[in-house]
Amino acid sequence: MTAARRAVQENHVTGATVWLTGLPSAGKTTIAYELAGRLREEGRRVEVLDGDEIREFLSAGLGFSREDRHTNVQRIGFVAELLARNGVLALVPVIAPFADSREAVRGRHQANGTAYLEVHVATPVEVCSVRDVKGLYAKQAAGEIAGLTGVDDPYEEPASPDLRIESQDQTVQESAAALHTLLTERGLL
């Protein structure tokens, strides 16, 4: 057992991965950062593994084919599990459009005895396209890009997520509070 792992166990600090999946512009990253701020104020160690940052620094060179998306999700899942088993709450706002990719990440966590929660930020595509934070829906509509998840590329909704957030019906703070409640109920805070 590593010294870091022993310290986590001795201090009874529980890490976990919270994977926020949903369409582009669903609110995943906004909710993750809101929750991270609250958790840091409570003295928790927390990291947000933002999908865009990971693509730039850890998965540069990968495209958006099904295979590349799977590889990207597995890389993120590996880092998240590593953080979580060392007492960090890893918040992962990443689309991860394919159920088998998310299940593989869950399996890695289970194999290592690391807590994993899946949160579906279930914002309808019509709402996401109005938000269009990065201009992706407009570019897709104009024919400038193809393969937009949930529009002309598949998105497999989680069959039984640990939490379903409909961000169009509540504030960011309410969404983060619902996730905080789930973490508390599961004994992770």
Side-chain angles (χ1 to χ4, degrees), residues 11-185:
N11 292 321
H12 305 289
V13 176
T14 303
T17 294
V18 179
W19 198 289
L20 294 95
T21 180
L23 298 175
S25 296
K28 301 175 301 295
T29 302
T30 304
I31 293 166
Y33 277 110
E34 178 69 25
L35 179 61
R38 179 174 176 181
L39 293 171
R40 286 184 182 113
E41 287 175 3
E42 295 173 359
R44 290 301 312 256
R45 291 177 31 198
V46 61
E47 291 294 335
V48 177
L49 300 179
D50 181 281
D52 292 334
E53 291 176 359
I54 297 291
R55 274 225 174 246
E56 181 179 352
F57 297 107
L58 187 63
S59 294
L62 289 179
F64 291 91
S65 68
R66 184 179 178 106
E67 181 180 310
D68 282 356
R69 288 176 191 245
H70 179 77
T71 298
N72 185 50
V73 168
Q74 297 317 296
R75 288 177 182 177
I76 297 167
F78 172 79
V79 173
E81 196 279 326
L82 183 66
L83 289 168
R85 80 173 117 116
N86 284 285
V88 176
L89 283 170
L91 305 179
V92 186
V94 174
I95 296 169
F98 301 109
D100 61 341
S101 295
R102 294 190 305 266
E103 273 309 305
V105 171
R106 180 187 299 276
R108 168 182 294 281
H109 282 70
Q110 288 174 339
N112 288 304
T114 307
Y116 176 88
L117 299 175
E118 184 176 72
V119 177
H120 182 203
V121 182
T123 311
V125 69
E126 299 79 21
V127 174
C128 294
S129 67
V130 170
R131 290 179 181 170
D132 204 10
V133 177
K134 299 173 194 161
L136 297 174
Y137 293 92
K139 287 179 183 177
Q140 189 277 335
E144 296 172 23
I145 63 169
L148 181 59
T149 301
V151 177
D152 60 352
D153 214 42
Y155 175 74
E156 298 170 357
E157 291 188 7
S160 55
D162 295 282
L163 179 65
R164 181 179 165 94
I165 294 175
E166 296 186 13
S167 70
Q168 75 279 7
D169 294 333
Q170 58 192 32
T171 67
V172 172
Q173 294 76 18
E174 289 169 333
S175 296
L179 189 43
H180 190 279
T181 298
L182 175 67
L183 289 166
T184 303
E185 289 172 350

